[in-house]
């Protein structure tokens, strides 16, 4: 049982987003909308709803739109206020004020591990969660909270996992696990983007991990791994082999907003329940699918 409260989260959002080209050349993929909210705002909300107070978003020089979204816009707000839309201004400010959001630029896209390595001084000596910037997960209990509860129970770093079709494991990572109880597993090894035949299992890390600060020394000494990138999985594999991590098969449905299909699916799922347009969109879809 760990008593140290988890207050900090990192959202790496400095990837190139090549799977979302051409749009990602001009619009950061993390700013693509799920109906009317940028994808990354769902991650910030998930962290806040999980009790996180301090959030570091890792960006790069092309992703200024993310910083703008979490900032006040005095000129725009003044025009809304002049038009009698003060309530909307309060709602927009609420998005900015829900947590302390900080930004740091990764100067070169050298991989997810390299991006997390930039956050050492933000984290200090506390455990922290990482929400991968393009993985949106809709769930009853926020997935960050599920990981924090698991950390408090088992006292080891936690990785959020799901089974993926075996032929797709090589696009993600593969974990060596033993079942503990319910949806928790003990993991003592993992491999990033395994070649066929090198898989441990069909359990892959999807979008959320909870790490301890000892990870930073491991990241600093990593050689480039799969795809020539500094891979966070390689550092987590060392932790798993040294002392083990808990793999939690989290409750929730994950959408990969870094892929065209995931983007479309997330918009349909949120669109049909949207308070303004949900009913009309649902009716439209019912008619539309009849012609498919
Ligand atoms: P991905 O591999 O999904 O992102 O990284 P990518 O590199 O943008 O994807 P492609 O180009 O479409 O294949 C997982 C997360 O790590 C971040 C990404 O922004 C994403 O949230 N990341 C990746 C960084 O912050 N820096 C990097 O150097 C690489």
């Amino acid at each position: 049982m760990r008593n140290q409260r988890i207050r900090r989260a990192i959202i790496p959002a400095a990837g190139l987003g090549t799977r979302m080209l051409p749009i990602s050349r001009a619009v950061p993929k993390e700013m693509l909308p799920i109906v009317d909210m940028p994808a990354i705002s769902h991650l910030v909300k998930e962290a806040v709803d999980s009790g996180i107070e301090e959030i570091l978003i890792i960006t790069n020089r092309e992703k200024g739109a993310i910083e703008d979204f979490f900032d006040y816009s005095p000129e725009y707000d003044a025009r809304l206020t002049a038009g009698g839309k003060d309530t909307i201004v309060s709602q927009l400010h609420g998005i900015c004020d829900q947590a302390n959001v900080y930004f740091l630029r990764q100067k070169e896209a050298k991989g997810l591990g390299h991006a997390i390595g930039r956050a050492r001084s933000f984290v200090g000596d506390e455990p922290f969660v990482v929400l991968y910037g393009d993985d949106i997960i809709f769930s009853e209990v926020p997935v960050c909270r599920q990981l924090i509860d698991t950390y408090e129970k088992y006292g080891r770093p936690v990785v959020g996992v799901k089974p993926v079709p075996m032929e797709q494991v090589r696009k993600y990572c593969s974990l060596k696990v033993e079942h503990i109880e319910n949806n928790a597993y003990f993991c003592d090894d993992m491999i990033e983007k395994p070649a066929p035949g090198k898989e441990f299992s069909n359990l892959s890390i999807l979008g959320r991990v909870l790490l301890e600060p000892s990870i930073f020394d491991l990241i600093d000494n990593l050689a480039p791994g799969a795809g020539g990138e500094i891979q966070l999985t390689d550092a987590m594999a060392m932790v798993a082999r040294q002392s083990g991590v808990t793999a939690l098969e989290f409750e929730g449905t994950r959408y990969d907003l870094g892929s065209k299909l995931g983007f479309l699916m997330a918009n349909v799922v949120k669109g049909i329940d949207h308070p303004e347009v949900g009913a009309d969109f649902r009716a439209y879809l019912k008619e539309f699918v009849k012609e498919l």
Side-chain angles (χ1 to χ4, degrees):
M1 173 81 188
R2 295 279 163 128
N3 293 320
Q4 199 169 15
R5 208 156 74 76
I6 298 183
R7 301 181 308 119
R8 292 174 198 273
I10 305 171
I11 304 179
L16 293 178
T18 47
R19 286 166 300 144
M20 282 307 268
L21 282 170
I23 183 73
S24 50
R25 193 157 156 265
V27 179
K29 63 178 170 176
E30 299 78 10
M31 286 303 292
L32 291 173
I34 300 179
V35 190
D36 50 6
M37 291 290 277
I40 196 162
S41 68
H42 288 271
L43 298 179
V44 169
K45 185 166 186 314
E46 178 190 324
V48 171
D49 289 348
S50 303
I52 298 292
E53 296 160 7
E54 314 277 326
I55 299 170
L56 178 70
I57 302 180
I58 301 187
T59 65
N60 65 31
R61 67 186 68 77
E62 277 117 37
K63 305 224 179 185
I66 301 177
E67 297 185 35
D68 292 345
F69 184 76
F70 290 101
D71 195 4
Y72 288 7
S73 173
E75 302 79 17
Y76 195 93
D77 296 349
R79 297 211 305 265
L80 287 174
T81 305
K85 295 186 172 151
D86 314 53
T87 322
I88 300 180
V89 174
S90 308
Q91 285 167 0
L92 294 174
H93 286 186
I95 294 169
C96 308
D97 297 338
Q98 59 189 317
N100 292 323
V101 181
Y102 308 90
F103 298 92
L104 179 75
R105 284 188 179 182
Q106 184 189 17
K107 297 185 185 71
E108 290 173 276
K110 289 185 175 175
L112 175 59
H114 179 263
I116 299 303
R118 305 311 90 208
R120 186 195 277 262
S121 59
F122 167 78
V123 162
D125 59 3
E126 297 176 15
F128 60 98
V129 290
V130 180
L131 299 90
Y132 297 15
D134 48 10
D135 278 326
I136 305 300
I137 304 170
F138 300 135
S139 58
E140 290 289 320
V141 176
V143 180
C144 270
R145 187 69 245 168
Q146 297 179 40
L147 264 63
I148 293 168
D149 291 344
T150 305
Y151 182 68
E152 289 174 348
K153 183 165 184 189
Y154 297 105
R156 282 187 293 267
V158 186
V159 294
V161 300
K162 283 281 190 193
V164 299
M166 210 57 191
E167 65 279 7
Q168 285 185 30
V169 171
R170 76 192 62 148
K171 290 202 295 187
Y172 301 100
C173 69
S174 172
L175 272 64
K176 185 162 167 262
V177 293
E178 265 175 50
H179 188 226
I180 306 174
E181 58 179 342
N182 304 323
N183 51 353
Y185 299 80
F186 180 76
C187 164
D188 62 3
D189 207 354
M190 61 180 82
I191 179 170
E192 179 69 17
K193 297 191 174 54
K198 297 281 179 193
E199 306 91 346
F200 291 122
S201 72
N202 69 338
L203 284 181
S204 287
I205 298 174
L206 293 184
R208 302 289 181 274
V209 296
L210 189 162
L211 302 171
E212 293 176 334
S214 55
I215 197 84
F216 291 108
D217 284 343
L218 299 173
I219 290 173
D220 284 352
N221 291 308
L222 278 180
E229 297 192 342
I230 304 291
Q231 295 287 356
L232 182 62
T233 306
D234 291 347
M236 294 190 294
M238 286 185 217
V239 177
R241 290 194 290 266
Q242 281 164 13
S243 43
V245 302
T246 306
L248 175 75
E249 190 177 332
F250 56 81
E251 172 273 315
T253 310
R254 171 245 186 199
Y255 296 90
D256 178 4
L257 268 282
S259 79
K260 295 172 177 90
L261 185 59
F263 166 75
L264 291 169
M265 292 194 307
N267 272 284
V268 171
V269 165
K270 280 290 165 187
I272 57 172
D273 285 333
H274 191 275
E276 265 170 63
V277 298
D280 287 347
F281 184 51
R282 209 178 262 266
Y284 167 78
L285 271 186
K286 280 185 181 158
E287 286 305 309
F288 185 75
V289 293
K290 284 182 193 160
E291 292 164 26
L292 287 181

